[in-house]
Amino acid sequence: MNDDQVANQMLDDAQVAALLAEEASQHFPGAKVENVEKMSGGASRETWSFDVLQPEGNRLGLILRRDPGNTGSTGEEGWRGGKTTYSLDRTTEAQLQRAVYEAGGLVAKVHFAIPKDHALGDCYVMDRIEGEVLAPRILRDDAYADARKTMAYQCGEILAGLHAVDAAALPSGLVQMQVQELLAYYRELMDGVSDFYRDETAVARPEYHPAFELTFRWLQQNMPKDAPAGLVHGDFRNGNFVVGPEGIRAVLDWEIAHVGDGMEDLGWLCVRAWRFGQHQNPVGGFGQRVDLFAGYENAGGRKVDPKVIHYWEVLGTLKWGIICMFQAYKPISGLVDSFEHLAIGRRACENEIDLLKLIEESS
Amino acid sequence: MPQDRASAEELLAGVEGFLRKDVLPQLSGASIYKCRVAANMLSIVQRELAQGGAADKAELEGLQNLLARESDKDDIQASLDDLNAEFCVKIRSGELDQQREAVIAHTRRTLIDKVGIANPRYAGLPK
């Protein structure tokens, strides 16, 4: 841990609020900062909400996104000190959000980024887009009934746009993660967690996941032909959308964006875990595949091959299963102090059952 | 040495009942979710104690048939480790490709038992 992180670690909420107010008033000269408030939400990132009241009288609603620095990261990058990571730091994430915004993408406008050596740590400030983020509410509340009807098609349109962002405009920190790299990454994560259990815990046994092994084999044998490389969001699903009664207003959480096959985003959106029980709607719990594909193609995306999407749905289900393993690893290894993560490890097997079905369907 | 009553199962059931009936109604906010998770964890352990032995035996038998050997380890957990390690390596290398149907059938049976302990209400369980 370096000195910045130590400094970062010692900030309490009042200090963060004061530093934020100071930074914001420098960026918006003469403005007053009001309503600084820590929002609930992600464990790996802190989100703060605040208002800036400008001298001419208009009010900006803003969001600060920062790494809390107190638990180490709770993302996969926390594994073994980030040996193999493809997740972005906040500076790169802010650059990417800017590039997508300038290309006309549905993303919050970034106002300013704060570098790592600042007392607040690596973080950035963007527009606060009002709307609902909680997936179960978006899927069940009457207020979003109309939104649900159009969201699958809209997701296709949004993805076509972001996959077409000019590669030259993307930040240089984005990593190439085509299918081979992703498979290698998740293989290493799965084996690393299992080896840790065998070598460094009292139980002293690895984990065995024959269904994951069968899936890795199937993924090697059924790999799609080389695809054009472009921007991939990487976690495009309900829970990372800000939604209003009319539909999606913004796409959040760009931290595992990478350069790869855009079909990954379409497949991930169809993974069972994101349906929150609404299995009649395979796309994110709100829509049908045909609508997603039509939105994508009509907005200029390349022709969608349902078999390729199925491939990415299999890979996504595997990825989610391995992330379940990793969630239990966090408290077991001492990476975070959170007993409820332990239970998520026992959900890896649900993905294994799903995977057997998925790879059987297509052989 | 046999322990006196209450048994491990009875102790767990007692604590789970306390969490659900007495503690939960008094909580608010994020603690409600955490208390439910805690009670669910105790349910998992109870199911594991009740069903785990039979599940392990069935898994061991399935592995022995597939790999056509018995483990020389002296307890069932070590035997399962031994045979599962070989099973996974052989799936990965393709050595079991010719027995695909049997491999999938064994894996599915084992997973049904596993999910039956971890989360029997999982909607994805084959009926």
Side-chain angles (χ1 to χ4, degrees), chain A residues 50-361:
Chain A
F50 63 104
D51 293 341
V52 161
L53 189 60
Q54 294 186 298
E56 55 273 28
N58 59 322
R59 180 179 289 272
L60 293 174
L62 300 174
I63 290 286
L64 169 80
R65 180 164 158 86
R66 81 182 276 270
D67 299 354
N70 53 353
T71 55
S73 173
T74 56
E76 289 100 288
E77 74 271 24
W79 175 59
R80 299 265 166 104
K83 189 170 64 166
T84 53
T85 178
Y86 64 100
S87 77
L88 308 177
D89 60 23
R90 274 348 92 225
T91 305
T92 313
E93 192 181 9
Q95 287 169 347
L96 174 61
Q97 248 182 261
R98 279 189 168 128
V100 173
Y101 182 83
E102 273 152 33
L106 215 51
V107 66
K109 180 185 173 184
V110 173
H111 288 275
F112 60 96
I114 297 171
K116 269 191 187 67
D117 55 7
H118 188 279
L120 273 174
D122 196 18
C123 55
Y124 63 99
V125 166
M126 60 183 148
D127 274 341
R128 184 174 71 227
I129 313 281
E130 305 296 340
E132 184 54 66
V133 176
L134 290 175
R137 286 200 195 144
I138 293 165
L139 293 181
R140 289 184 185 97
D141 282 8
D142 289 345
Y144 308 106
D146 287 341
R148 288 194 291 271
K149 285 180 198 147
T150 56
M151 273 171 65
Y153 190 89
Q154 195 193 0
C155 281
E157 292 179 315
I158 294 169
L159 285 174
L162 86 92
H163 295 163
V165 173
D166 182 6
L170 298 174
S172 55
L174 281 196
V175 182
Q176 275 269 357
M177 295 293 283
Q178 294 277 6
V179 60
Q180 285 287 9
E181 285 92 357
L182 285 168
L183 289 180
Y185 177 84
Y186 286 100
R187 159 62 69 183
E188 198 187 342
L189 186 60
M190 176 173 104
D191 290 350
V193 168
S194 184
D195 290 352
F196 175 87
Y197 290 154
R198 183 193 60 211
D199 299 337
E200 296 180 54
T201 65
V203 178
R205 307 177 48 228
E207 277 192 351
Y208 296 105
H209 294 280
F212 291 162
E213 296 294 350
L214 283 162
T215 305
F216 271 114
R217 180 110 184 112
W218 184 91
L219 289 166
Q220 288 293 349
Q221 291 172 326
N222 292 276
M223 210 167 281
K225 289 191 199 75
D226 280 345
L231 175 61
V232 176
H233 179 281
D235 198 10
F236 189 88
R237 43 106 182 159
N238 208 349
N240 282 333
F241 303 147
V242 182
V243 174
E246 77 290 354
I248 298 172
R249 292 175 175 168
V251 179
L252 306 173
D253 199 348
W254 295 76
E255 84 171 90
I256 57 167
H258 52 272
V259 173
D261 181 352
M263 294 299 139
E264 179 190 344
D265 278 332
L266 282 84
W268 181 240
L269 185 58
C270 297
V271 166
R272 186 183 170 99
W274 308 130
R275 297 177 197 158
F276 299 90
Q278 308 291 308
H279 297 296
Q280 72 283 13
N281 294 320
V283 179
F286 48 75
Q288 300 302 313
R289 288 188 179 89
V290 283
D291 295 322
L292 172 70
F293 302 168
Y296 192 77
E297 289 171 5
N298 293 344
R302 70 182 208 261
K303 178 111 186 70
V304 176
D305 178 351
K307 273 184 149 164
V308 173
I309 304 304
H310 176 78
Y311 180 91
W312 285 104
E313 186 180 333
V314 172
L315 199 156
T317 308
L318 172 74
K319 176 177 150 184
W320 181 243
I322 293 172
I323 292 174
C324 285
M325 287 175 66
F326 185 72
Q327 297 302 315
Y329 164 87
K330 289 180 197 172
I332 293 173
S333 65
L335 200 60
V336 299
D337 178 14
S338 157
F339 87 96
E340 61 270 33
H341 280 88
L342 295 169
I344 305 176
R346 294 290 188 108
R347 306 199 67 166
C349 56
E350 295 173 9
N351 295 279
E352 289 191 277
I353 288 258
D354 294 346
L355 283 167
L356 285 187
K357 207 184 294 169
L358 287 169
I359 63 177
E360 282 282 82
E361 272 168 16

Side-chain angles (χ1 to χ4, degrees), chain B residues 12-23:
Chain B
L12 288 164
V15 180
E16 188 194 345
F18 169 69
L19 288 179
R20 290 197 201 275
K21 282 182 240 144
D22 298 340
V23 179

Side-chain angles (χ1 to χ4, degrees), chain B residues 60 64 69-75 78-80 82-83:
Chain B
L60 185 65
Q64 285 168 346
R69 75 169 176 98
E70 287 188 14
S71 173
D72 55 9
K73 306 285 186 234
D74 40 13
D75 76 272
S79 302
L80 282 170
D82 175 21
L83 296 178

